[in-house]
Amino acid sequence: MNRPDVAFLGFKMDTVVTQVAAFATPVLADDIAALSPERRAAITCAVTSAVNGASGELLDLLPNLSHIVSAGAGLDRFDFDDLRARGITLNDTGHLVSSDTAEMAVMLLLAMARDVVRADDHVRSGRWADGHFGYRIRVAGKTAGIVGLGRIGRLIAERLTGLGLDVAYHTRAPRPDAPWPHVGDLEELAARSDFLVAAVPGGAATRNMFDAGVLRALGPRGYFVNISRGTVVDEEALISALTEGTIAGAALDVFENEPRPDPRFAKLSNVTLTPHVAAITEDYAAELAADIARQVAAHLEIGLPQA
């Protein structure tokens, strides 16, 4: 029996391609157009990622596509009206990224508080012999404001509570099962926070929600952490706040323009930058490959090969 084709819409993590190739034929995005019309019409399942989404141009080449599996939690790159019109269902793998992303948020918060990046440079440069590095910030007893209390936000809140921080959160409506106080106004939460953590999805509803007013409320002793999407913060306002001392610092894993963020960030000493790697761990790569293979095989009604 012929193996079914599975389209990869710009996403080709090697471990995922290898696992899918055990029972189907992966067709990478650049190769889809070269398939015969009959072969393209036979493709019913595709794999993509939260970063790549599903472009209309590629979907036009796959008239009978009915299911997409997306690596990651983000949904802002998908046109859901278009997917519905085409009869395509979308499943993500957000449940896999939650723990690693929450861990990264906590790490970035601690790295800022203790100024780990510059401390490392202080030792490597030999300046330690010339003078003490100076005092930094204890996090226990401070207040962390978590904006968004989905899977990731809740894990961040739990872990920061375990580190001895007081946690409050902001969402559109209180979560009845959340043990932390809800603050309905974002600027009010920022004013109460020593650390303000963005854990909201991207998209039009959250674009630039962290604006100049929120940053002013956070204040000159406050720190901002973003592990969600670069679009949720007004980067011009953030750069001004960091430059002028409106806030004490920021730690950013995501940016408006990736992989070429605003070069002004790199010139600031009070910002810690990482290349959108919150969920990128070896454990996640293995789990992702297995989960996507499972979802694709289930859609194709194919049993997974035995290990």
Side-chain angles (χ1 to χ4, degrees), residues 33-209:
L35 297 179
S36 67
E38 294 77 18
R39 229 179 125 179
R40 286 191 279 107
I43 295 176
T44 63
C45 188
V47 176
T48 189
S49 71
V51 173
N52 292 105
S55 73
E57 291 80 2
L58 284 175
L59 297 182
D60 286 342
L61 296 172
L62 303 168
N64 294 313
L65 191 70
S66 60
H67 191 71
I68 296 175
V69 182
S70 177
L75 300 174
D76 49 303
R77 297 290 179 90
F78 295 96
D79 183 337
F80 281 91
D81 289 337
D82 184 50
L83 293 181
R84 279 191 291 270
R86 295 174 187 269
I88 298 173
T89 60
L90 174 70
N91 286 347
D92 65 43
T93 59
H95 58 289
L96 297 178
V97 306
S98 301
S99 180
D100 290 329
T101 303
E103 185 176 278
M104 184 74 168
V106 173
M107 184 278 294
L108 288 173
L109 187 153
L110 291 169
M112 278 195 307
R114 291 302 183 95
D115 210 357
V116 169
V117 175
R118 287 199 292 174
D120 177 89
D121 181 66
H122 191 70
V123 176
R124 293 176 187 273
S125 67
R127 293 195 303 275
W128 188 11
D130 300 325
H132 191 266
F133 182 59
Y135 298 99
R136 293 303 185 264
I137 299 168
R138 174 190 297 161
V139 301
K142 300 297 191 299
T143 297
I146 312 300
V147 185
L149 207 69
R151 289 175 298 205
I152 294 170
R154 183 175 290 270
L155 285 174
I156 295 170
E158 291 173 352
R159 292 176 184 191
L160 292 180
T161 299
L163 287 173
L165 285 91
D166 296 320
V167 169
Y169 73 96
H170 169 77
T171 53
R172 283 176 289 184
R175 302 294 174 85
D177 60 339
W180 310 282
H182 175 263
V183 181
D185 183 79
L186 179 54
E187 289 191 15
E188 180 185 343
L189 178 66
R192 290 173 53 172
S193 299
D194 299 291
F195 302 96
L196 188 66
V197 183
V200 292
T206 58
R207 176 171 286 277
N208 290 343
M209 70 182 296

Side-chain angles (χ1 to χ4, degrees), residues 2-8 20-28 39 43 300:
N2 291 332
R3 289 153 53 92
D5 291 321
V6 174
F8 278 69
V20 171
F23 59 87
T25 300
V27 181
L28 303 186
R39 229 179 125 179
I43 295 176
L300 297 175

Side-chain angles (χ1 to χ4, degrees), residues 159-275:
R159 292 176 184 191
L160 292 180
T161 299
L163 287 173
L165 285 91
D166 296 320
V167 169
Y169 73 96
H170 169 77
T171 53
R172 283 176 289 184
R175 302 294 174 85
D177 60 339
W180 310 282
H182 175 263
V183 181
D185 183 79
L186 179 54
E187 289 191 15
E188 180 185 343
L189 178 66
R192 290 173 53 172
S193 299
D194 299 291
F195 302 96
L196 188 66
V197 183
V200 292
T206 58
R207 176 171 286 277
N208 290 343
M209 70 182 296
F210 297 90
D211 58 15
V214 172
L215 297 172
R216 277 195 303 271
L218 182 58
R221 294 183 62 82
Y223 294 85
F224 175 66
V225 179
N226 190 7
I227 46 76
S228 55
R229 284 290 185 267
T231 55
V232 306
V233 60
D234 180 340
E235 288 193 346
E236 196 65 41
L238 178 58
I239 290 169
S240 294
L242 290 165
T243 303
E244 298 166 8
T246 303
I247 64 173
L252 311 172
D253 186 52
V254 289
F255 305 88
E256 175 87 32
N257 296 306
E258 298 180 3
R260 295 178 177 84
D262 192 309
R264 290 175 291 176
F265 282 122
K267 298 176 182 178
L268 295 169
S269 61
N270 57 345
V271 62
T272 300
L273 311 173
T274 54

